[in-house]
Amino acid sequence: MSAEFLDALISVLGSSIRLAVPLLFACLAGLWSERSGVVDIGLEGKMLFAAFAAGTAASLLHSPWAGLGAGILVAIALSLVHGFAAITQRGNQIVSGVAINFLAAGMTVLLGQAWFHEGGRTPQLANTERFLSIELPGAGAFRDTALGHVYAEVISGHNILVYLAFVCVPLTAWVLFRTRFGLRLRAVGDNPHAVDTAGVSVAGLRYAAVVVCGVLCGCAGTYLAVAQSAGFIRDMTAGKGFIALAALVFSKWRPVPAMFTCLLFGFLDALASRLQGTPLPGIGVVSVQVFQALPYALTVVLLVGLIGRAVPPKASGIPYTKDR
């Protein structure tokens, strides 16, 4: 293996992690919501609105933490709207999610143009207004060794939201599968009548789940606008919320498989960026659009051909009506 190929591989792996982060946040958000029985196809809209709020707050208050707080608050507000429609009003959860997606796509551009007059964008963020890369201990000292190079380029050098996303994976698994709250949450997604009979509030558990969903969507949107980019641009989520939903179904609503699925999408995205303009052996230079379509093509392939039998929580998408 040549040194040039090894450097390219390490670079792609580092980029894969960074590109997988918004998918991972959104996928875990959908997992929390759907495990409680609330289908949420509005992840895309929540991420987009959170990105706009984060970019706006970080620009006006000159703080990335203000951006993160604003992004999370806006995403929680949208989650509560979805929860009110799905849990309290027992409405159609698909319609509610679609409405959030349409609302976010239109309102973010409209507000951005009205407030900043930059074509729907928020102002360019300075470095002090963004989450910047963190160098982990020892990354510089051991960079010249083989393992040290991997450590410095793949594990170190990411911003705090990247590490937070991967911490959320074992945390989600522990809460859902090792705590009483998680047991009740999963039970309410499978058999809400049994949970209600035990004297536990079905609506309360589902509202708790959609709030956690909002927090994670807020982190995803903030990452896009304040960490990965230097401000909000229109439609910057680019379908990541829908890809996260595909990853959620492919992982069969489990946190660790969801992480690896998101990393696979991130790897394809990074590989596409790396190969753009590079001639392939026996093929030559391939159009940029072919590489850009790879993650979306994989989404279709996974859902149509490779997923196998994926069974969602039994009460998923079904409004709960208390027995009388």
Side-chain angles (χ1 to χ4, degrees), residues 63-91:
S63 167
W65 294 103
L68 178 61
I72 289 176
L73 286 177
V74 167
I76 288 177
L78 289 172
S79 286
L80 290 176
V81 170
H82 180 61
F84 180 74
I87 302 168
T88 303
Q89 297 298 317
R90 303 182 184 88

Side-chain angles (χ1 to χ4, degrees), residues 245-265:
L245 280 174
L248 177 62
V249 176
F250 183 68
S251 63
K252 300 180 180 177
W253 294 268
R254 291 174 296 171
V256 175
M259 178 187 70
F260 286 112
T261 307
C262 291
L263 283 171
L264 174 62
F265 281 115

Side-chain angles (χ1 to χ4, degrees), residues 112-180:
Q113 178 62 25
W115 291 350
F116 304 110
H117 308 288
E118 297 185 15
R121 302 166 58 100
T122 60
Q124 186 83 6
L125 297 178
N127 283 341
T128 54
E129 299 166 343
R130 300 177 58 203
F131 289 111
L132 300 179
S133 302
I134 300 170
E135 186 171 290
L136 297 181
F142 302 104
R143 187 181 293 271
D144 294 335
T145 63
L147 288 178
H149 192 195
V150 174
Y151 174 67
E153 298 295 333
V154 178
I155 299 175
S156 178
H158 303 293
N159 62 72
I160 192 169
L161 292 181
V162 174
Y163 300 111
L164 178 62
F166 286 93
V167 167
C168 285
V169 176
L171 185 61
T172 295
W174 179 74
V175 172
L176 288 181
F177 296 98
R178 292 288 185 271
T179 67
R180 177 180 297 180

Side-chain angles (χ1 to χ4, degrees), residues 5-312:
F5 176 79
L6 186 60
D7 288 343
L9 179 61
I10 291 174
S11 175
V12 169
L13 291 178
S15 298
S16 302
I17 291 175
R18 287 187 285 273
L19 292 169
V21 167
L23 298 176
L24 182 54
F25 272 129
C27 190
L28 292 177
L31 190 151
W32 274 88
S33 183
E34 296 201 10
R35 276 288 188 177
S36 75
V38 179
V39 172
D40 191 353
I41 65 168
L43 298 176
E44 176 85 3
K46 292 174 190 172
M47 288 172 62
L48 191 62
F49 234 132
F52 175 76
T56 300
S59 172
L60 297 178
L61 301 176
H62 310 293
S63 167
W65 294 103
L68 178 61
I72 289 176
L73 286 177
V74 167
I76 288 177
L78 289 172
S79 286
L80 290 176
V81 170
H82 180 61
F84 180 74
I87 302 168
T88 303
Q89 297 298 317
R90 303 182 184 88
N92 188 305
Q93 299 172 13
I94 303 299
V95 172
S96 174
V98 170
I100 289 175
N101 289 337
F102 279 121
L103 180 70
M107 286 292 290
T108 52
V109 176
L110 181 66
L111 292 176
Q113 178 62 25
W115 291 350
F116 304 110
H117 308 288
E118 297 185 15
R121 302 166 58 100
T122 60
Q124 186 83 6
L125 297 178
N127 283 341
T128 54
E129 299 166 343
R130 300 177 58 203
F131 289 111
L132 300 179
S133 302
I134 300 170
E135 186 171 290
L136 297 181
F142 302 104
R143 187 181 293 271
D144 294 335
T145 63
L147 288 178
H149 192 195
V150 174
Y151 174 67
E153 298 295 333
V154 178
I155 299 175
S156 178
H158 303 293
N159 62 72
I160 192 169
L161 292 181
V162 174
Y163 300 111
L164 178 62
F166 286 93
V167 167
C168 285
V169 176
L171 185 61
T172 295
W174 179 74
V175 172
L176 288 181
F177 296 98
R178 292 288 185 271
T179 67
R180 177 180 297 180
F181 172 74
L183 175 64
R184 289 174 171 175
L185 191 72
R186 288 187 290 123
V188 86
D190 283 321
N191 192 342
H193 292 284
V195 175
D196 194 15
T197 302
V200 180
S201 170
V202 172
L205 283 169
R206 287 185 169 176
Y207 269 112
V210 297
V211 167
V212 176
C213 172
V215 172
L216 293 169
C217 283
C219 292
T222 303
Y223 177 81
L224 289 172
V226 181
Q228 190 177 51
S229 304
F232 172 84
I233 59 174
R234 60 187 303 170
D235 299 326
M236 72 183 309
T237 47
K240 288 183 174 58
F242 301 113
I243 294 177
L245 280 174
L248 177 62
V249 176
F250 183 68
S251 63
K252 300 180 180 177
W253 294 268
R254 291 174 296 171
V256 175
M259 178 187 70
F260 286 112
T261 307
C262 291
L263 283 171
L264 174 62
F265 281 115
F267 176 76
L268 278 179
D269 212 353
L271 188 66
S273 300
R274 184 77 184 184
L275 292 179
Q276 285 180 17
T278 303
L280 299 179
I283 300 176
V285 177
V286 179
S287 171
V288 172
Q289 286 76 15
V290 173
F291 292 113
Q292 289 176 338
L294 276 179
Y296 305 99
L298 177 66
T299 303
V300 176
V301 171
L302 290 181
L303 289 178
V304 174
L306 299 179
I307 188 172
R309 187 167 182 264
V311 180

